[in-house]
Amino acid sequence: MTTASDTPVRLTQLAHGGGCACKIPPGELEDVLGGLAVPAPAAAGTPLLVGLATGDDAAVVSLPAPDGAPAQAVVSTADFFTPVVDDPYDWGRIAAANALSDVYAMGGRPLVAVNLLAWPRDVLPFDLAREVLRGGLDIATEAGCHVGGGHSVDDPEPKYGMAVTGLADPERLLRNDAGRPGLPLSLTKPLGLGVLNNRHKATGERFEQAVAAMTALNRDASAAALEAGAVCATDVTGFGLLGHLHKLARASGVTAVIDTAAVPYLDGAREAVRDGYVSGGSRRNLEWVAPFTDFGTTGTATRLLLADAQTSGGLLVAGEVPGAPVVGELVPRGAHSVVLR
């Protein structure tokens, strides 16, 4: 992408991190949130079904239903991040798909979104911002989700995402605390997005397989999981597969056993690790989960890929999802929350 003066603009060079790798590390975030008491609101008839306690993907509030009407729940989430690719339109599409994913990860359908835009107005032209917003709008339209405006600020570092509101059946939620021993674990997108994005940031190489994966909605995977009777899921984003798996196993009181040979990776992911394109966020993910993980004989490269900070990754579902590989299973709680074999 170029400006009006034909000067190439590499959006990833304007950010200290990229995509979900710029999240606050999970251990530090839990320290911040620890001990916070969340009081129940005074409003009657609107219980909070999913909140802060288990670190799930979105908040869910039950709606009062008129007599004879089906029960409904509101799903609420927000997600935004720094540029993960240099193309502004693709960045907008990726950020929107990532924000919408939190609703799908709860078993809901997105209804309306508002844009969240931070823009260095003295550095980047607004025609690039328009391309970012156009990408987000196109993905929201694909998802059947309204976009009703948003909020913008002048910021030295560009950031974009969405706050999304969706609807779900409160009796058919996908939650990260509903896993039970004996359930298989399915993963609906391959890993390796983080290392490929980091290579793109460092070299300018474009990885179409990564862009295609990040812009693919988790809508169909969520619907398939619900159709298969699943009640437990999460999406795999900035904390990596191991981080999100640890949170799911901890919340559900089980241990997750992963067959490392069954985990799918994007083309070029292992080569990117070999060549050193591992973000600091991925390394911090691995450091965080290490005390809770039995790594067995798993090598360093595979450990880094399993902790790789994904952006707009797939769903991790406790149950079989047609077309998705089974990468492990849940077993009764043992000494570790995650075991690699």
Side-chain angles (χ1 to χ4, degrees):
M1 175 62 63
T2 60
T3 64
S5 61
D6 292 330
T7 302
V9 174
R10 293 203 58 208
L11 292 174
T12 56
Q13 303 307 296
L14 299 174
H16 73 284
C20 288
C22 70
K23 282 186 174 181
I24 294 175
E28 294 177 23
L29 184 60
E30 291 196 342
D31 288 343
V32 171
L33 298 176
L36 283 180
V38 182
T46 56
L48 182 69
L49 301 180
V50 180
L52 183 63
T54 62
D56 217 324
D57 297 295
V60 182
V61 176
S62 179
L63 291 177
D67 291 344
Q72 289 194 102
V74 171
V75 183
S76 180
T77 185
D79 209 312
F80 62 96
F81 47 66
T82 53
V84 69
V85 293
D86 289 324
D87 185 282
Y89 177 72
D90 283 344
W91 175 32
R93 294 196 298 148
I94 293 164
N98 182 76
L100 293 166
S101 178
D102 285 341
V103 175
Y104 295 131
M106 302 303 302
R109 61 179 181 86
L111 181 65
V112 64
V114 291
N115 292 305
L116 304 172
L117 179 69
W119 201 253
R121 51 184 292 274
D122 293 329
V123 177
L124 290 177
F126 279 113
D127 59 341
L128 299 186
R130 185 180 297 110
E131 282 298 290
V132 175
L133 296 172
R134 185 171 71 89
L137 179 60
D138 282 356
I139 285 293
T141 300
E142 180 184 341
C145 177
H146 298 289
V147 177
H151 183 68
S152 62
V153 295
D154 185 358
D155 193 303
E157 194 173 55
K159 303 174 183 73
Y160 174 66
M162 287 179 163
V164 187
T165 301
L167 292 175
D169 181 343
E171 302 300 324
R172 299 184 69 212
L173 293 175
L174 297 173
R175 306 172 53 125
N176 72 353
D177 63 352
R180 298 293 179 264
L183 290 174
L185 290 166
S186 300
L187 182 64
T188 67
K189 287 185 186 180
L191 302 182
L193 292 163
V195 290
L196 290 178
N197 289 337
N198 210 36
R199 186 165 203 154
H200 170 70
K201 177 180 173 69
T203 68
E205 297 175 77
R206 182 177 169 88
F207 299 99
E208 297 294 347
Q209 70 274 30
V211 173
M214 290 185 288
T215 55
L217 293 171
N218 282 327
R219 173 184 54 197
D220 293 346
S222 176
L226 289 171
E227 182 66 24
V231 295
C232 178
T234 187
D235 63 351
V236 181
T237 54
F239 300 154
L241 176 65
L242 291 182
H244 290 285
L245 192 60
H246 163 60
K247 290 177 65 178
L248 183 152
R250 181 180 61 184
S252 297
V254 298
T255 288
V257 179
I258 294 296
D259 177 3
T260 57
V263 177
Y265 299 100
L266 288 165
D267 290 344
R270 285 199 173 273
E271 291 79 3
V273 172
R274 178 200 65 198
D275 296 339
Y277 296 103
V278 180
S279 69
S282 296
R283 295 187 187 278
R284 289 189 291 270
N285 287 342
L286 187 57
E287 180 181 2
W288 178 59
V289 299
F292 315 110
T293 304
D294 177 356
F295 291 105
T297 61
T298 305
T300 300
T302 298
R303 295 185 190 190
L304 286 168
L305 279 170
L306 293 173
D308 188 38
Q310 305 299 281
T311 296
S312 192
L315 298 186
L316 176 68
V317 180
E320 290 196 45
V321 178
V326 172
V327 299
E329 63 176 334
L330 299 179
V331 300
R333 179 69 186 192
H336 297 87
S337 59
V338 180
V339 175
L340 305 184
R341 291 180 179 165

